[in-house]
Each structure stands twice: as structure tokens, then as C-alpha cells.
């Protein structure tokens, strides 16, 4: 039965391979997005923008909250390996 199934699905092999590649790219993008080191770098950049007067305190607070939320999600994701999504 397995051989017949593979022969029938053979024309779809490129699609299945593309799906796998897309999944790997998405997983790596999520890993980088939720990586605490990346978020700390963004927080430092955000603080520099505030000190340089490029953004106001309200915008700083809003973006800082978003980054800290991302970090929290990332740390929870590390507790459950392979689960970087929130849903």
C-alpha cells in the first residue's frame, strides 16, 4: 500500500518539498523574531532613539511593551521546544 501511495503522490513531490522548505524558513524566522538577544538589541536601539529625540516617551513605551511581550512569548517558547507560535 505504501508504494502505491507514493507512486500516486509522486507528481505532488515538488509541492510537498516546497511546503517543507517554507515550514523550515518560517520556523527559523520565528526563532530569530522571538530570540531574547535580538529583542535586547532592538530595545537598546529603541532607547538610543528616545535619547536622540527621534521618538517621544509615548512611542517608546508602546514599542517597549511590544518587545517585552515578544520576549515573554519567546521565553515561553523555549520552555516548550519546537513551539515558537502563540496559538
Amino acid at each position: 500500500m505504501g508504494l502505491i501511495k507514493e507512486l500516486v503522490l509522486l507528481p505532488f513531490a515538488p509541492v510537498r518539498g516546497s511546503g517543507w522548505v517554507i515550514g523550515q524558513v518560517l520556523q527559523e524566522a520565528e526563532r530569530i523574531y522571538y530570540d531574547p538577544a535580538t529583542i535586547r538589541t532592538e530595545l537598546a536601539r529603541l532607547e538610543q532613539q528616545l535619547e536622540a529625540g527621534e521618538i517621544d516617551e509615548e512611542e517608546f513605551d508602546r514599542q517597549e511593551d511590544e518587545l517585552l511581550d515578544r520576549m515573554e512569548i519567546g521565553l515561553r517558547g523555549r520552555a516548550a521546544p519546537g513551539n515558537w507560535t502563540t496559538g
Side-chain angles (χ1 to χ4, degrees):
M1 187 65 147
L3 180 59
I4 294 173
K5 179 181 173 185
E6 288 300 318
L7 286 174
V8 170
L9 294 177
L10 188 60
F12 299 106
V15 174
R16 291 186 345 216
S18 297
W20 180 83
V21 169
I22 290 169
Q24 294 299 308
V25 169
L26 179 61
Q27 185 177 359
E28 181 64 11
E30 287 180 338
R31 186 193 65 76
I32 293 169
Y33 183 76
Y34 291 114
D35 180 37
T38 301
I39 296 170
R40 281 192 287 274
T41 301
E42 291 183 33
L43 283 168
R45 181 187 50 78
L46 187 63
E47 188 172 352
Q48 289 174 348
Q49 288 178 328
L50 177 66
E51 291 173 358
E54 297 172 8
I55 59 173
D56 61 8
E57 189 74 33
E58 184 178 317
E59 181 64 17
F60 173 83
D61 289 340
R62 186 187 66 74
Q63 289 187 30
E64 181 186 42
D65 287 344
E66 289 176 10
L67 289 168
L68 293 175
D69 288 345
R70 261 178 49 196
M71 184 177 287
E72 183 180 335
I73 291 168
L75 292 174
R76 274 191 271 140
R78 286 187 186 275
N83 185 16
W84 287 96
T85 57
T86 60

